[in-house]
Amino acid sequence: PMPTTFVDGDIPYVTTITPPEDNTYYANDVINLTVGFTEAITVTGTPRVEFDLGGETRYLEYASGSGSNELVFSYLVLPGDSDTDGVVLGNIFDLNGGDLQDGDGTDAALSVPNPLTPNVNVSALIPSVTDITLPVNKTYLQDDEFFFVVQFDAPVNLSLIHISEPTRLGMI
């Protein structure tokens, strides 16, 4: 009998893209992109997908899914990131020194269909103080109240600060 050799001539390619959820993402939020392939993919290294965030190039880096036909790529939003008209995903994998291969070692096609992401916005600008109004300049006695008014250039979420012990506050 003649020996039989099987050659896998099928190149795995992207079949589905699940874009990040329509949302506004803030500092420390994670943006995920799920990429489906025609067959299970083994990942080595840290492949990534380029995207444009407010005119700056950023990368969704491989996060999970090796050995399956769905891979997840993630980006951690950094303080200062901002994009108000929707991030734009790149259309090719950057292997970044790694590999995307099927079980037979066939390299996956590197093109990625561009999903529309106009409602994936990022707002991680760090608010700045624009003005401080000081309390009236006088001597305050125990249980007197005084107020500082602090204005920022963007909305901020603050927690109530309660000082129960005598404290000297200063400007930094």
Side-chain angles (χ1 to χ4, degrees):
M2 300 233 359
T4 304
T5 303
F6 176 73
V7 176
D8 179 5
D10 294 334
I11 296 173
Y13 60 90
V14 173
T15 57
T16 60
I17 295 280
T18 305
E21 290 184 34
D22 288 352
N23 202 352
T24 298
Y25 294 85
Y26 300 96
N28 298 316
D29 284 347
V30 176
I31 298 173
N32 289 315
L33 172 74
T34 303
V35 180
F37 286 86
T38 54
E39 56 186 295
I41 297 295
T42 300
V43 179
T44 57
T46 18
R48 55 194 187 173
V49 177
E50 181 179 304
F51 73 105
D52 180 288
L53 191 153
E56 300 289 327
T57 299
R58 299 286 193 268
Y59 294 94
L60 294 143
E61 296 193 358
Y62 168 72
S64 65
S66 184
S68 75
N69 67 336
E70 285 195 346
L71 304 180
V72 177
F73 295 82
S74 300
Y75 176 76
L76 177 67
V77 177
L78 302 173
D81 284 349
S82 179
D83 193 316
T84 57
D85 62 358
V87 300
V88 178
L89 296 173
N91 63 353
I92 193 163
F93 287 102
D94 173 0
L95 292 177
N96 194 31
D99 284 307
L100 298 172
Q101 298 178 330
D102 68 9
D104 294 320
T106 304
D107 291 333
L110 298 181
S111 61
V112 180
N114 280 40
L116 298 176
T117 53
N119 297 316
V120 177
N121 299 309
V122 175
S123 179
L125 294 176
I126 301 170
S128 297
V129 173
T130 59
D131 189 40
I132 299 175
T133 303
L134 301 175
V136 174
N137 188 10
K138 70 173 200 164
T139 300
Y140 291 87
L141 303 176
Q142 184 173 343
D143 297 326
D144 284 351
E145 291 184 345
F146 56 95
F147 300 92
F148 293 82
V149 178
V150 181
Q151 292 182 331
F152 295 88
D153 62 359
V156 295
N157 293 321
L158 298 175
S159 299
L160 180 63
I161 299 171
H162 176 73
I163 301 173
S164 59
E165 297 291 324
T167 304
R168 181 177 179 162
L169 299 175
M171 300 291 279
I172 295 177

